[in-house]
Amino acid sequence: MSENKRNGRHGKKQNLFQKAAPVLIGTVVLLLAAVALYGVFQANRGKLSANQTGNAQVKKEQAPSSDTTKDQEEKTAASETTTSKTNDNDEDVEAATKDSKKLRVAKGKNHNEAAKDYAYDPKWVQDVVDGRAVNDGQRLCFLTFDDGVNHEVTPQILDVLKKEQVHATFFVVGNTIGDKTKDILERQISEGNSIGIHSFDHDYDKLYPGRTADSSRIAKEAEDTQAALKKQLGQDFQTTSWRYPGGHMSWHNMVQADDALAAQGLHWVDWNAMSGDAEPASTRPKTADEMVAYQEKSITEYPDVKLRVVLMHDAADKQVTVAALPRIIQFYRDKGFKFGILE
C-alpha cells in the first residue's frame, strides 16, 4: 500500500478519535460523579439509620417499662401510706403529750402541767380572804375537801368534779397516804386537781395541847406528809398549801407554827364558805337541800371579796356532801365564779 493511503487512513482515525474523545471523557466524568454521589448517599443513609437507631434506643431507655411503672406506682403508694402514717403518728404523739401533761406532776408543784392556768398561790388567796390583798379580776371559787384520802367518798367526789368539769383542792391526812390509796392520789392529779396537807395524824390533842399550837409537832407532821406524798407521786411533787385541822382561827400561839410551816415553803389557808358537813350533829345538814341552803347562808358571814374558799370534807361518811356537790357548783356558776385550785 502506498504511503499516501496509509497516511490518509491514519488521518481519518485520528480525526475520529479527536471527535470521540470529549464524549468519552464526559461519560467517564459523569460515571465518576455518579459513583461519588452514590457513596455520599450511602454514607448519609448510614448516619441517618444510626441516628434513628440511637434515638429509638434513647427513647426506649427513657420510657419506663410496665414493670418499672408498676414499681414506681407501688413506691408512690407506699410513700403516701408512710406520710399518712407519719401524720397519724404526729397526732398520736400530740395526744400522748397532752395525756402525759395530765398524768405527770408539774415539777415542784402539787398538780399536773395542764392545771397551771387555774392554779393560785395559797398565800395570796388567804390575803384576799383576810383583806390584805384585792382580787381585781374575775370572781374565783376554790372548792376544798379535807380529811381524805379514801376509796369510799373521795372517788365519788372526783366523779362529780369530772362530770361538772371543775377542779378542787384536796387537803389530805398523811396517815391515809400509802400504796393502797396511790391510785386515788394519782387520779386527783391526772384529772386536774391539786393536793394540800391537812397534818399527818389529825389529832387535836397532839397538834394543839391545851389549845396552843405545838409548832415543832406541826412542822414534823407537815414534813412527814410531804414525804409520804412524794413517795407515792414522785419527787417532783411539792405542795405549798396547808390547812390546820380545825382552822387557823381556832387555836393560840399560831405565829411560831406559821413560821415553822413557812420554813418548809408552806402557807395555811382557811375558808369563807362552808357546806356544814363537819358541824356538830345537831346543826349538821341532813339532806342535800339543807346543805345547799347552809352553804348559801354561810357566805353572808364573810365579806364579799370576789373570792370564796368553800370548806367541805371527803371523809368516808360524807354522802350528803356528794349529793349536794353538783348544786353547790351550780350555785357558784350562776353567780359568775371561775373555779380554781390552790398550789
Side-chain angles (χ1 to χ4, degrees), residues 267-332:
H267 194 279
W268 60 273
V269 181
D270 272 355
W271 54 87
N272 60 358
M274 297 176 288
S275 66
D277 61 359
E279 293 299 300
S282 59
T283 58
R284 185 182 308 168
K286 304 295 192 298
T287 67
D289 288 341
E290 290 179 5
M291 185 167 288
V292 172
Y294 187 102
Q295 190 278 148
E296 184 173 1
K297 183 179 178 181
S298 75
I299 64 176
T300 64
E301 300 176 14
Y302 301 92
D304 183 2
V305 291
K306 294 177 62 178
L307 185 152
R308 292 292 174 184
V309 182
V310 186
L311 174 65
M312 292 178 280
H313 297 77
D314 62 328
D317 61 342
K318 303 303 180 184
Q319 288 296 334
V320 177
T321 303
V322 174
L325 183 56
R327 292 171 59 185
I328 292 174
I329 291 171
Q330 191 60 49
F331 172 85
Y332 286 101

Short mmCIF file of all heavy atoms in Angstrom, two decimals, residues 267-332:
data_model
loop_
_atom_site.label_atom_id
_atom_site.label_comp_id
_atom_site.label_asym_id
_atom_site.label_seq_id
_atom_site.Cartn_x
_atom_site.Cartn_y
_atom_site.Cartn_z
N HIS A 267 -47.95 27.47 153.22
CA HIS A 267 -48.77 28.54 153.76
C HIS A 267 -50.17 28.01 154.05
O HIS A 267 -50.73 27.24 153.27
CB HIS A 267 -48.87 29.72 152.78
CG HIS A 267 -49.41 30.96 153.44
ND1 HIS A 267 -50.76 31.17 153.64
CD2 HIS A 267 -48.78 32.03 153.98
CE1 HIS A 267 -50.94 32.33 154.26
NE2 HIS A 267 -49.74 32.87 154.47
N TRP A 268 -50.71 28.44 155.18
CA TRP A 268 -52.02 27.94 155.59
C TRP A 268 -53.14 28.67 154.85
O TRP A 268 -53.01 29.83 154.46
CB TRP A 268 -52.21 28.09 157.10
CG TRP A 268 -52.12 29.53 157.59
CD1 TRP A 268 -50.99 30.20 157.94
CD2 TRP A 268 -53.21 30.43 157.75
NE1 TRP A 268 -51.30 31.48 158.32
CE2 TRP A 268 -52.66 31.65 158.22
CE3 TRP A 268 -54.58 30.35 157.55
CZ2 TRP A 268 -53.44 32.78 158.50
CZ3 TRP A 268 -55.37 31.47 157.83
CH2 TRP A 268 -54.80 32.66 158.30
N VAL A 269 -54.27 27.96 154.68
CA VAL A 269 -55.47 28.51 154.03
C VAL A 269 -56.69 28.07 154.83
O VAL A 269 -56.87 26.87 155.08
CB VAL A 269 -55.60 28.01 152.58
CG1 VAL A 269 -56.85 28.62 151.92
CG2 VAL A 269 -54.36 28.36 151.76
N ASP A 270 -57.50 29.05 155.21
CA ASP A 270 -58.77 28.73 155.87
C ASP A 270 -59.90 28.76 154.82
O ASP A 270 -59.71 28.28 153.72
CB ASP A 270 -59.04 29.71 157.01
CG ASP A 270 -58.42 29.25 158.33
OD1 ASP A 270 -57.87 28.13 158.37
OD2 ASP A 270 -58.46 30.01 159.31
N TRP A 271 -61.06 29.34 155.16
CA TRP A 271 -62.21 29.34 154.27
C TRP A 271 -63.09 30.53 154.57
O TRP A 271 -63.00 31.15 155.63
CB TRP A 271 -62.99 28.04 154.41
CG TRP A 271 -63.38 27.77 155.84
CD1 TRP A 271 -64.50 28.23 156.49
CD2 TRP A 271 -62.64 27.02 156.80
NE1 TRP A 271 -64.51 27.79 157.80
CE2 TRP A 271 -63.38 27.05 158.02
CE3 TRP A 271 -61.44 26.31 156.78
CZ2 TRP A 271 -62.95 26.41 159.18
CZ3 TRP A 271 -61.01 25.68 157.93
CH2 TRP A 271 -61.77 25.73 159.11
N ASN A 272 -63.98 30.84 153.65
CA ASN A 272 -65.02 31.87 153.90
C ASN A 272 -66.37 31.43 153.33
O ASN A 272 -67.23 32.25 153.03
CB ASN A 272 -64.60 33.24 153.36
CG ASN A 272 -64.35 33.24 151.85
OD1 ASN A 272 -64.45 32.20 151.19
ND2 ASN A 272 -64.03 34.41 151.31
N ALA A 273 -66.54 30.10 153.22
CA ALA A 273 -67.83 29.50 152.86
C ALA A 273 -67.78 28.05 153.34
O ALA A 273 -66.72 27.43 153.33
CB ALA A 273 -68.08 29.56 151.36
N MET A 274 -68.94 27.52 153.77
CA MET A 274 -68.96 26.18 154.35
C MET A 274 -70.19 25.39 153.89
O MET A 274 -71.25 25.96 153.66
CB MET A 274 -68.99 26.26 155.88
CG MET A 274 -67.78 26.90 156.51
SD MET A 274 -67.94 27.04 158.32
CE MET A 274 -69.17 28.36 158.44
N SER A 275 -69.99 24.08 153.77
CA SER A 275 -71.12 23.20 153.46
C SER A 275 -71.82 22.74 154.74
O SER A 275 -72.93 22.23 154.68
CB SER A 275 -70.65 21.97 152.68
OG SER A 275 -69.81 21.16 153.50
N GLY A 276 -71.13 22.89 155.86
CA GLY A 276 -71.70 22.46 157.15
C GLY A 276 -71.56 20.99 157.41
O GLY A 276 -72.13 20.46 158.39
N ASP A 277 -70.79 20.25 156.57
CA ASP A 277 -70.73 18.80 156.73
C ASP A 277 -69.85 18.33 157.88
O ASP A 277 -69.78 17.13 158.17
CB ASP A 277 -70.29 18.13 155.42
CG ASP A 277 -68.90 18.57 154.96
OD1 ASP A 277 -68.27 19.41 155.63
OD2 ASP A 277 -68.45 18.07 153.91
N ALA A 278 -69.20 19.28 158.60
CA ALA A 278 -68.41 18.90 159.78
C ALA A 278 -68.92 19.56 161.05
O ALA A 278 -68.25 19.52 162.10
CB ALA A 278 -66.94 19.28 159.56
N GLU A 279 -70.10 20.14 160.96
CA GLU A 279 -70.70 20.76 162.13
C GLU A 279 -71.19 19.68 163.11
O GLU A 279 -71.34 18.50 162.72
CB GLU A 279 -71.88 21.64 161.70
CG GLU A 279 -71.47 22.85 160.87
CD GLU A 279 -70.55 23.76 161.65
OE1 GLU A 279 -70.96 24.26 162.72
OE2 GLU A 279 -69.41 23.98 161.18
N PRO A 280 -71.43 20.05 164.37
CA PRO A 280 -71.99 19.08 165.33
C PRO A 280 -73.28 18.46 164.79
O PRO A 280 -73.99 19.08 163.97
CB PRO A 280 -72.27 19.94 166.57
CG PRO A 280 -71.30 21.08 166.45
CD PRO A 280 -71.19 21.36 164.99
N ALA A 281 -73.54 17.26 165.18
CA ALA A 281 -74.68 16.51 164.65
C ALA A 281 -75.99 17.29 164.75
O ALA A 281 -76.86 17.17 163.87
CB ALA A 281 -74.82 15.18 165.37
N SER A 282 -76.12 18.11 165.78
CA SER A 282 -77.37 18.83 165.99
C SER A 282 -77.62 19.90 164.93
O SER A 282 -78.77 20.25 164.64
CB SER A 282 -77.39 19.48 167.38
OG SER A 282 -76.29 20.37 167.52
N THR A 283 -76.55 20.44 164.34
CA THR A 283 -76.70 21.53 163.35
C THR A 283 -76.23 21.12 161.95
O THR A 283 -76.33 21.91 161.02
CB THR A 283 -75.90 22.76 163.80
OG1 THR A 283 -74.52 22.39 163.97
CG2 THR A 283 -76.43 23.30 165.12
N ARG A 284 -75.75 19.93 161.81
CA ARG A 284 -75.22 19.47 160.52
C ARG A 284 -76.37 19.21 159.55
O ARG A 284 -77.36 18.58 159.92
CB ARG A 284 -74.41 18.21 160.71
CG ARG A 284 -73.69 17.71 159.45
CD ARG A 284 -72.95 16.42 159.74
NE ARG A 284 -72.08 16.56 160.91
CZ ARG A 284 -71.49 15.56 161.54
NH1 ARG A 284 -71.70 14.31 161.11
NH2 ARG A 284 -70.72 15.77 162.59
N PRO A 285 -76.25 19.66 158.29
CA PRO A 285 -77.30 19.39 157.29
C PRO A 285 -77.48 17.89 157.11
O PRO A 285 -76.51 17.13 157.00
CB PRO A 285 -76.75 20.04 156.03
CG PRO A 285 -75.80 21.09 156.53
CD PRO A 285 -75.19 20.52 157.76
N LYS A 286 -78.73 17.47 157.00
CA LYS A 286 -79.04 16.04 156.87
C LYS A 286 -79.37 15.64 155.44
O LYS A 286 -79.35 14.45 155.11
CB LYS A 286 -80.23 15.68 157.77
CG LYS A 286 -80.05 16.04 159.24
CD LYS A 286 -78.92 15.23 159.87
CE LYS A 286 -78.93 15.36 161.39
NZ LYS A 286 -78.72 16.77 161.85
N THR A 287 -79.67 16.61 154.61
CA THR A 287 -80.03 16.34 153.21
C THR A 287 -79.26 17.29 152.29
O THR A 287 -78.70 18.29 152.74
CB THR A 287 -81.53 16.53 152.97
OG1 THR A 287 -81.86 17.93 153.13
CG2 THR A 287 -82.37 15.69 153.93
N ALA A 288 -79.30 16.98 151.02
CA ALA A 288 -78.64 17.84 150.05
C ALA A 288 -79.27 19.23 150.04
O ALA A 288 -78.56 20.24 149.95
CB ALA A 288 -78.71 17.21 148.66
N ASP A 289 -80.61 19.30 150.16
CA ASP A 289 -81.28 20.60 150.18
C ASP A 289 -80.81 21.43 151.36
O ASP A 289 -80.53 22.63 151.22
CB ASP A 289 -82.80 20.40 150.26
CG ASP A 289 -83.40 19.89 148.96
OD1 ASP A 289 -82.73 20.03 147.91
OD2 ASP A 289 -84.53 19.36 148.99
N GLU A 290 -80.71 20.80 152.52
CA GLU A 290 -80.27 21.52 153.71
C GLU A 290 -78.82 21.99 153.57
O GLU A 290 -78.46 23.08 154.00
CB GLU A 290 -80.41 20.62 154.95
CG GLU A 290 -81.85 20.35 155.36
CD GLU A 290 -81.93 19.43 156.58
OE1 GLU A 290 -80.87 19.11 157.16
OE2 GLU A 290 -83.05 19.03 156.95
N MET A 291 -77.99 21.16 152.94
CA MET A 291 -76.58 21.53 152.78
C MET A 291 -76.41 22.70 151.82
O MET A 291 -75.60 23.61 152.06
CB MET A 291 -75.75 20.33 152.31
CG MET A 291 -74.26 20.61 152.25
SD MET A 291 -73.27 19.11 152.07
CE MET A 291 -73.44 18.38 153.70
N VAL A 292 -77.15 22.69 150.72
CA VAL A 292 -77.08 23.80 149.78
C VAL A 292 -77.54 25.09 150.46
O VAL A 292 -76.91 26.16 150.30
CB VAL A 292 -77.95 23.51 148.53
CG1 VAL A 292 -78.04 24.75 147.64
CG2 VAL A 292 -77.37 22.34 147.75
N ALA A 293 -78.61 25.01 151.26
CA ALA A 293 -79.10 26.19 151.98
C ALA A 293 -78.08 26.66 153.01
O ALA A 293 -77.86 27.86 153.18
CB ALA A 293 -80.45 25.88 152.65
N TYR A 294 -77.46 25.72 153.70
CA TYR A 294 -76.45 26.06 154.71
C TYR A 294 -75.27 26.77 154.03
O TYR A 294 -74.78 27.80 154.52
CB TYR A 294 -75.95 24.79 155.40
CG TYR A 294 -75.03 25.04 156.57
CD1 TYR A 294 -75.51 24.95 157.88
CD2 TYR A 294 -73.69 25.37 156.38
CE1 TYR A 294 -74.66 25.19 158.96
CE2 TYR A 294 -72.84 25.60 157.45
CZ TYR A 294 -73.34 25.51 158.75
OH TYR A 294 -72.50 25.76 159.82
N GLN A 295 -74.82 26.23 152.90
CA GLN A 295 -73.69 26.82 152.18
C GLN A 295 -74.01 28.24 151.74
O GLN A 295 -73.19 29.16 151.89
CB GLN A 295 -73.35 25.94 150.99
CG GLN A 295 -72.07 26.27 150.28
CD GLN A 295 -72.23 27.42 149.30
OE1 GLN A 295 -71.29 28.18 149.10
NE2 GLN A 295 -73.41 27.57 148.72
N GLU A 296 -75.22 28.45 151.21
CA GLU A 296 -75.60 29.78 150.74
C GLU A 296 -75.64 30.78 151.90
O GLU A 296 -75.19 31.92 151.77
CB GLU A 296 -76.95 29.73 150.03
CG GLU A 296 -77.37 31.05 149.43
CD GLU A 296 -78.63 30.93 148.60
OE1 GLU A 296 -79.19 29.82 148.52
OE2 GLU A 296 -79.05 31.96 148.02
N LYS A 297 -76.15 30.33 153.03
CA LYS A 297 -76.24 31.22 154.20
C LYS A 297 -74.85 31.54 154.76
O LYS A 297 -74.61 32.64 155.27
CB LYS A 297 -77.10 30.57 155.29
CG LYS A 297 -77.29 31.45 156.52
CD LYS A 297 -78.17 30.76 157.55
CE LYS A 297 -78.32 31.63 158.79
NZ LYS A 297 -79.16 30.96 159.84
N SER A 298 -73.92 30.58 154.64
CA SER A 298 -72.60 30.76 155.26
C SER A 298 -71.83 31.92 154.65
O SER A 298 -71.02 32.57 155.33
CB SER A 298 -71.78 29.48 155.13
OG SER A 298 -71.30 29.28 153.80
N ILE A 299 -72.06 32.21 153.37
CA ILE A 299 -71.27 33.26 152.75
C ILE A 299 -71.66 34.65 153.25
O ILE A 299 -70.90 35.61 153.08
CB ILE A 299 -71.37 33.22 151.21
CG1 ILE A 299 -72.80 33.49 150.74
CG2 ILE A 299 -70.90 31.87 150.68
CD1 ILE A 299 -72.94 33.56 149.21
N THR A 300 -72.83 34.75 153.89
CA THR A 300 -73.23 36.05 154.44
C THR A 300 -72.44 36.39 155.69
O THR A 300 -72.47 37.54 156.16
CB THR A 300 -74.74 36.07 154.76
OG1 THR A 300 -75.01 35.12 155.79
CG2 THR A 300 -75.56 35.71 153.52
N GLU A 301 -71.75 35.40 156.26
CA GLU A 301 -70.96 35.64 157.48
C GLU A 301 -69.59 36.25 157.16
O GLU A 301 -68.87 36.67 158.07
CB GLU A 301 -70.76 34.32 158.24
CG GLU A 301 -72.07 33.67 158.66
CD GLU A 301 -71.85 32.32 159.32
OE1 GLU A 301 -70.69 32.02 159.67
OE2 GLU A 301 -72.83 31.57 159.48
N TYR A 302 -69.23 36.30 155.89
CA TYR A 302 -67.93 36.81 155.49
C TYR A 302 -68.11 37.91 154.43
O TYR A 302 -69.06 37.86 153.65
CB TYR A 302 -67.06 35.70 154.90
CG TYR A 302 -66.81 34.55 155.84
CD1 TYR A 302 -67.66 33.44 155.85
CD2 TYR A 302 -65.72 34.54 156.70
CE1 TYR A 302 -67.42 32.36 156.68
CE2 TYR A 302 -65.47 33.47 157.55
CZ TYR A 302 -66.33 32.39 157.54
OH TYR A 302 -66.11 31.32 158.38
N PRO A 303 -67.20 38.87 154.39
CA PRO A 303 -67.30 39.92 153.37
C PRO A 303 -67.19 39.32 151.96
O PRO A 303 -66.51 38.32 151.75
CB PRO A 303 -66.09 40.82 153.67
CG PRO A 303 -65.71 40.51 155.07
CD PRO A 303 -66.06 39.08 155.29
N ASP A 304 -67.84 39.97 150.99
CA ASP A 304 -67.74 39.54 149.60
C ASP A 304 -66.47 40.15 149.00
O ASP A 304 -66.42 41.34 148.69
CB ASP A 304 -68.97 39.98 148.81
CG ASP A 304 -68.95 39.48 147.38
OD1 ASP A 304 -67.99 38.75 147.03
OD2 ASP A 304 -69.87 39.81 146.61
N VAL A 305 -65.46 39.33 148.85
CA VAL A 305 -64.18 39.81 148.32
C VAL A 305 -63.93 39.25 146.91
O VAL A 305 -62.79 39.19 146.47
CB VAL A 305 -63.02 39.41 149.27
CG1 VAL A 305 -63.11 40.17 150.57
CG2 VAL A 305 -63.02 37.90 149.51
N LYS A 306 -65.00 38.86 146.24
CA LYS A 306 -64.92 38.28 144.89
C LYS A 306 -64.10 37.00 144.89
O LYS A 306 -63.54 36.61 143.87
CB LYS A 306 -64.32 39.28 143.90
CG LYS A 306 -65.18 40.51 143.66
CD LYS A 306 -64.48 41.50 142.73
CE LYS A 306 -64.24 40.89 141.37
NZ LYS A 306 -63.60 41.86 140.44
N LEU A 307 -64.05 36.34 146.03
CA LEU A 307 -63.29 35.10 146.14
C LEU A 307 -63.87 34.27 147.28
O LEU A 307 -64.07 34.77 148.39
CB LEU A 307 -61.82 35.42 146.40
CG LEU A 307 -60.81 34.25 146.43
CD1 LEU A 307 -59.42 34.76 146.00
CD2 LEU A 307 -60.71 33.62 147.81
N ARG A 308 -64.16 33.00 146.99
CA ARG A 308 -64.71 32.11 148.01
C ARG A 308 -63.88 30.83 148.09
O ARG A 308 -63.58 30.20 147.07
CB ARG A 308 -66.16 31.74 147.68
CG ARG A 308 -67.14 32.91 147.78
CD ARG A 308 -67.31 33.38 149.21
NE ARG A 308 -68.13 34.60 149.29
CZ ARG A 308 -68.36 35.26 150.42
NH1 ARG A 308 -67.85 34.82 151.55
NH2 ARG A 308 -69.10 36.35 150.42
N VAL A 309 -63.52 30.48 149.32
CA VAL A 309 -62.88 29.20 149.61
C VAL A 309 -63.91 28.37 150.37
O VAL A 309 -64.29 28.72 151.49
CB VAL A 309 -61.60 29.36 150.44
CG1 VAL A 309 -60.95 28.00 150.67
CG2 VAL A 309 -60.63 30.32 149.76
N VAL A 310 -64.40 27.31 149.74
CA VAL A 310 -65.51 26.53 150.29
C VAL A 310 -64.97 25.33 151.06
O VAL A 310 -64.27 24.48 150.50
CB VAL A 310 -66.45 26.06 149.17
CG1 VAL A 310 -67.68 25.37 149.79
CG2 VAL A 310 -66.88 27.23 148.29
N LEU A 311 -65.30 25.24 152.36
CA LEU A 311 -64.88 24.12 153.19
C LEU A 311 -65.86 22.96 153.05
O LEU A 311 -67.05 23.08 153.35
CB LEU A 311 -64.81 24.55 154.66
CG LEU A 311 -64.53 23.43 155.66
CD1 LEU A 311 -63.13 22.84 155.45
CD2 LEU A 311 -64.69 23.92 157.10
N MET A 312 -65.32 21.82 152.61
CA MET A 312 -66.10 20.57 152.55
C MET A 312 -65.17 19.44 152.97
O MET A 312 -63.97 19.64 153.19
CB MET A 312 -66.64 20.34 151.13
CG MET A 312 -67.70 21.35 150.72
SD MET A 312 -68.31 21.14 149.01
CE MET A 312 -66.99 21.92 148.09
N HIS A 313 -65.72 18.23 153.08
CA HIS A 313 -64.94 17.09 153.52
C HIS A 313 -65.23 15.87 152.65
O HIS A 313 -66.36 15.70 152.17
CB HIS A 313 -65.24 16.76 155.00
CG HIS A 313 -64.86 17.88 155.93
ND1 HIS A 313 -65.62 19.01 156.08
CD2 HIS A 313 -63.77 18.02 156.76
CE1 HIS A 313 -65.04 19.83 156.95
NE2 HIS A 313 -63.93 19.25 157.37
N ASP A 314 -64.18 15.03 152.49
CA ASP A 314 -64.38 13.78 151.73
C ASP A 314 -64.05 12.57 152.59
O ASP A 314 -63.58 11.54 152.10
CB ASP A 314 -63.56 13.78 150.44
CG ASP A 314 -62.05 13.86 150.67
OD1 ASP A 314 -61.64 14.49 151.66
OD2 ASP A 314 -61.29 13.31 149.85
N ALA A 315 -64.33 12.67 153.89
CA ALA A 315 -64.20 11.51 154.78
C ALA A 315 -65.21 10.45 154.36
O ALA A 315 -66.16 10.72 153.60
CB ALA A 315 -64.40 11.92 156.23
N ALA A 316 -65.03 9.24 154.87
CA ALA A 316 -65.80 8.09 154.38
C ALA A 316 -67.30 8.20 154.63
O ALA A 316 -68.08 7.46 154.00
CB ALA A 316 -65.26 6.81 155.01
N ASP A 317 -67.75 9.10 155.52
CA ASP A 317 -69.18 9.16 155.86
C ASP A 317 -69.88 10.38 155.25
O ASP A 317 -71.00 10.71 155.66
CB ASP A 317 -69.36 9.18 157.38
CG ASP A 317 -68.70 10.39 158.02
OD1 ASP A 317 -67.83 11.01 157.37
OD2 ASP A 317 -69.04 10.71 159.18
N LYS A 318 -69.29 11.04 154.26
CA LYS A 318 -69.83 12.31 153.75
C LYS A 318 -70.68 12.15 152.48
O LYS A 318 -70.50 12.84 151.49
CB LYS A 318 -68.70 13.30 153.50
CG LYS A 318 -67.83 13.59 154.72
CD LYS A 318 -68.65 14.11 155.89
CE LYS A 318 -67.77 14.39 157.11
NZ LYS A 318 -68.56 14.82 158.28
N GLN A 319 -71.66 11.25 152.54
CA GLN A 319 -72.52 11.02 151.39
C GLN A 319 -73.42 12.22 151.07
O GLN A 319 -73.75 12.47 149.91
CB GLN A 319 -73.37 9.78 151.61
CG GLN A 319 -72.60 8.46 151.54
CD GLN A 319 -72.02 8.21 150.15
OE1 GLN A 319 -72.52 8.69 149.14
NE2 GLN A 319 -70.93 7.45 150.11
N VAL A 320 -73.82 12.96 152.09
CA VAL A 320 -74.65 14.14 151.83
C VAL A 320 -73.85 15.18 151.03
O VAL A 320 -74.39 15.84 150.14
CB VAL A 320 -75.16 14.75 153.16
CG1 VAL A 320 -75.98 16.02 152.89
CG2 VAL A 320 -76.02 13.74 153.92
N THR A 321 -72.56 15.28 151.31
CA THR A 321 -71.70 16.21 150.56
C THR A 321 -71.66 15.81 149.09
O THR A 321 -71.72 16.67 148.20
CB THR A 321 -70.28 16.21 151.15
OG1 THR A 321 -70.36 16.56 152.54
CG2 THR A 321 -69.39 17.20 150.44
N VAL A 322 -71.53 14.52 148.83
CA VAL A 322 -71.52 14.04 147.44
C VAL A 322 -72.82 14.43 146.74
O VAL A 322 -72.81 14.92 145.59
CB VAL A 322 -71.34 12.51 147.40
CG1 VAL A 322 -71.47 12.00 145.97
CG2 VAL A 322 -70.00 12.12 147.99
N ALA A 323 -73.94 14.24 147.43
CA ALA A 323 -75.24 14.53 146.83
C ALA A 323 -75.44 16.02 146.59
O ALA A 323 -76.06 16.43 145.59
CB ALA A 323 -76.35 13.99 147.74
N ALA A 324 -74.91 16.85 147.47
CA ALA A 324 -75.12 18.31 147.36
C ALA A 324 -74.13 18.99 146.43
O ALA A 324 -74.39 20.10 145.94
CB ALA A 324 -75.02 18.95 148.75
N LEU A 325 -73.00 18.35 146.15
CA LEU A 325 -71.92 19.00 145.41
C LEU A 325 -72.34 19.56 144.04
O LEU A 325 -71.97 20.71 143.72
CB LEU A 325 -70.74 18.03 145.26
CG LEU A 325 -69.50 18.60 144.57
CD1 LEU A 325 -69.00 19.85 145.27
CD2 LEU A 325 -68.40 17.53 144.50
N PRO A 326 -73.08 18.83 143.21
CA PRO A 326 -73.45 19.43 141.91
C PRO A 326 -74.21 20.74 142.06
O PRO A 326 -74.01 21.67 141.27
CB PRO A 326 -74.32 18.34 141.26
CG PRO A 326 -73.90 17.07 141.92
CD PRO A 326 -73.57 17.44 143.33
N ARG A 327 -75.06 20.83 143.04
CA ARG A 327 -75.85 22.05 143.22
C ARG A 327 -75.01 23.18 143.82
O ARG A 327 -75.25 24.35 143.52
CB ARG A 327 -77.07 21.73 144.09
CG ARG A 327 -78.07 20.82 143.38
CD ARG A 327 -79.16 20.34 144.30
NE ARG A 327 -79.92 21.45 144.89
CZ ARG A 327 -80.86 21.29 145.82
NH1 ARG A 327 -81.15 20.06 146.26
NH2 ARG A 327 -81.51 22.32 146.29
N ILE A 328 -74.03 22.83 144.64
CA ILE A 328 -73.12 23.85 145.17
C ILE A 328 -72.28 24.43 144.02
O ILE A 328 -72.07 25.65 143.93
CB ILE A 328 -72.21 23.25 146.26
CG1 ILE A 328 -73.05 22.92 147.50
CG2 ILE A 328 -71.08 24.22 146.62
CD1 ILE A 328 -72.30 22.19 148.60
N ILE A 329 -71.84 23.56 143.14
CA ILE A 329 -71.09 24.02 141.97
C ILE A 329 -71.95 24.95 141.12
O ILE A 329 -71.51 26.03 140.69
CB ILE A 329 -70.61 22.81 141.14
CG1 ILE A 329 -69.52 22.05 141.90
CG2 ILE A 329 -70.08 23.27 139.77
CD1 ILE A 329 -69.13 20.72 141.26
N GLN A 330 -73.21 24.55 140.89
CA GLN A 330 -74.11 25.37 140.08
C GLN A 330 -74.38 26.71 140.74
O GLN A 330 -74.53 27.74 140.05
CB GLN A 330 -75.42 24.62 139.82
CG GLN A 330 -76.31 25.28 138.77
CD GLN A 330 -75.62 25.37 137.43
OE1 GLN A 330 -75.06 24.39 136.94
NE2 GLN A 330 -75.65 26.56 136.82
N PHE A 331 -74.46 26.72 142.06
CA PHE A 331 -74.68 27.96 142.81
C PHE A 331 -73.60 28.99 142.46
O PHE A 331 -73.89 30.16 142.19
CB PHE A 331 -74.67 27.66 144.32
CG PHE A 331 -74.70 28.88 145.18
CD1 PHE A 331 -75.90 29.51 145.51
CD2 PHE A 331 -73.52 29.43 145.69
CE1 PHE A 331 -75.92 30.64 146.32
CE2 PHE A 331 -73.53 30.56 146.49
CZ PHE A 331 -74.74 31.17 146.81
N TYR A 332 -72.34 28.56 142.45
CA TYR A 332 -71.25 29.49 142.15
C TYR A 332 -71.18 29.82 140.66
O TYR A 332 -70.82 30.94 140.28
CB TYR A 332 -69.93 28.93 142.67
CG TYR A 332 -69.84 29.04 144.17
CD1 TYR A 332 -70.07 27.93 144.98
CD2 TYR A 332 -69.58 30.26 144.78
CE1 TYR A 332 -70.03 28.04 146.37
CE2 TYR A 332 -69.55 30.38 146.16
CZ TYR A 332 -69.77 29.27 146.95
OH TYR A 332 -69.74 29.40 148.32
#
